[in-house]
């Protein structure tokens, strides 16, 4: 066996399936903004430290930087939903990995539609008909235009 092709790491770190993008997408999709935080317009970050067991399950979640108003509990709930892939290492060691994460709580800004001006609208109808004697009586040409001003 070639030394270059062999993985020399004794302990292999857990990996979230799909990588960093999937990890961040999972957190943003499952995050529910707490009602109490919405009422008080609370925004910020909750920093958590958590352990990942040799099975890939999250254990020992601890809040390092608290935000309050229900944000801490929501962040803990999200982190406990995570599942990791832990590659098997030599001698099948059972290692507890520690990781920190920041979960951002930011109020969603609602996009408002432009205000439509209410007022009188003016419509013009213009109909032009062709009435030449040379055309058949069955085929009449007519053009209609409608212009509306607000």
């Amino acid at each position: 066996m070639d030394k270059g092709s062999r993985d020399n790491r004794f302990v292999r770190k857990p990996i979230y399936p799909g990588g960093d993008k999937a990890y961040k997408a999972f957190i943003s999709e499952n995050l529910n903004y707490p009602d109490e935080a919405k009422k008080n317009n609370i925004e910020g970050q909750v920093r958590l430290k958590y352990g990942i067991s040799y099975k890939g399950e999250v254990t020992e979640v601890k809040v390092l930087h608290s935000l309050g108003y229900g944000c801490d509990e929501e962040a803990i709930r999200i982190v406990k939903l995570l599942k990791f892939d832990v590659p098997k290492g030599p001698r099948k060691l059972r290692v507890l990995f520690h990781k920190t994460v920041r979960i951002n709580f930011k109020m969603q800004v609602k996009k408002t539609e432009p205000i439509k001006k209410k007022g009188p609208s003016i419509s013009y109808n213009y109909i032009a008909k062709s009435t030449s004697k040379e055309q058949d009586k069955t085929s009449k040409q007519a053009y209609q235009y409608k212009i509306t001003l607000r």
Side-chain angles (χ1 to χ4, degrees):
M1 180 181 259
D2 184 25
K3 286 186 179 180
S5 65
R6 191 172 60 191
D7 190 5
N8 291 329
R9 291 179 288 167
F10 187 69
V11 177
R12 295 188 180 110
K13 294 180 181 180
I15 303 166
Y16 188 79
D20 261 355
K21 287 185 181 179
Y23 177 76
K24 291 175 183 176
F26 177 82
I27 290 174
S28 65
E29 288 172 8
N30 292 302
L31 186 69
N32 296 325
Y33 213 96
D35 291 331
E36 191 176 343
K38 280 183 186 178
K39 289 177 187 174
N40 295 310
N41 294 327
I42 301 299
E43 292 183 346
Q45 290 183 345
V46 176
R47 279 192 19 225
L48 300 170
K49 181 178 182 178
Y50 59 95
I52 303 169
S53 71
Y54 68 95
K55 294 180 181 179
E57 299 168 350
V58 175
T59 60
E60 302 178 14
V61 181
K62 182 180 178 184
V63 178
L64 298 177
H65 182 265
S66 178
L67 196 57
Y69 298 96
C71 295
D72 302 340
E73 291 81 11
E74 180 63 19
I76 291 171
R77 184 189 71 83
I78 293 295
V79 169
K80 285 187 176 182
L81 293 175
L82 296 171
K83 298 280 184 197
F84 291 87
D85 291 335
V86 182
K88 299 293 180 199
R91 300 184 191 135
K92 298 180 183 179
L93 295 175
R94 295 182 177 183
V95 179
L96 179 66
F97 297 93
H98 293 282
K99 198 169 184 176
T100 59
V101 66
R102 292 179 182 160
I103 296 182
N104 295 319
F105 287 90
K106 187 168 184 178
M107 300 285 277
Q108 294 285 335
V109 178
K110 293 181 182 179
K111 294 182 179 178
T112 57
E113 294 183 20
I115 299 170
K116 295 180 181 178
K117 295 180 181 177
K118 294 184 179 182
S121 64
I122 302 169
S123 288
Y124 294 102
N125 287 330
Y126 177 72
I127 300 172
K129 294 182 180 179
S130 174
T131 57
S132 73
K133 294 179 183 177
E134 297 172 2
Q135 291 183 342
D136 295 334
K137 293 180 181 178
T138 58
S139 65
K140 294 183 179 178
Q141 289 182 342
Y143 298 100
Q144 183 174 0
Y145 299 98
K146 184 176 182 180
I147 302 170
T148 304
L149 303 174
R150 293 184 185 188

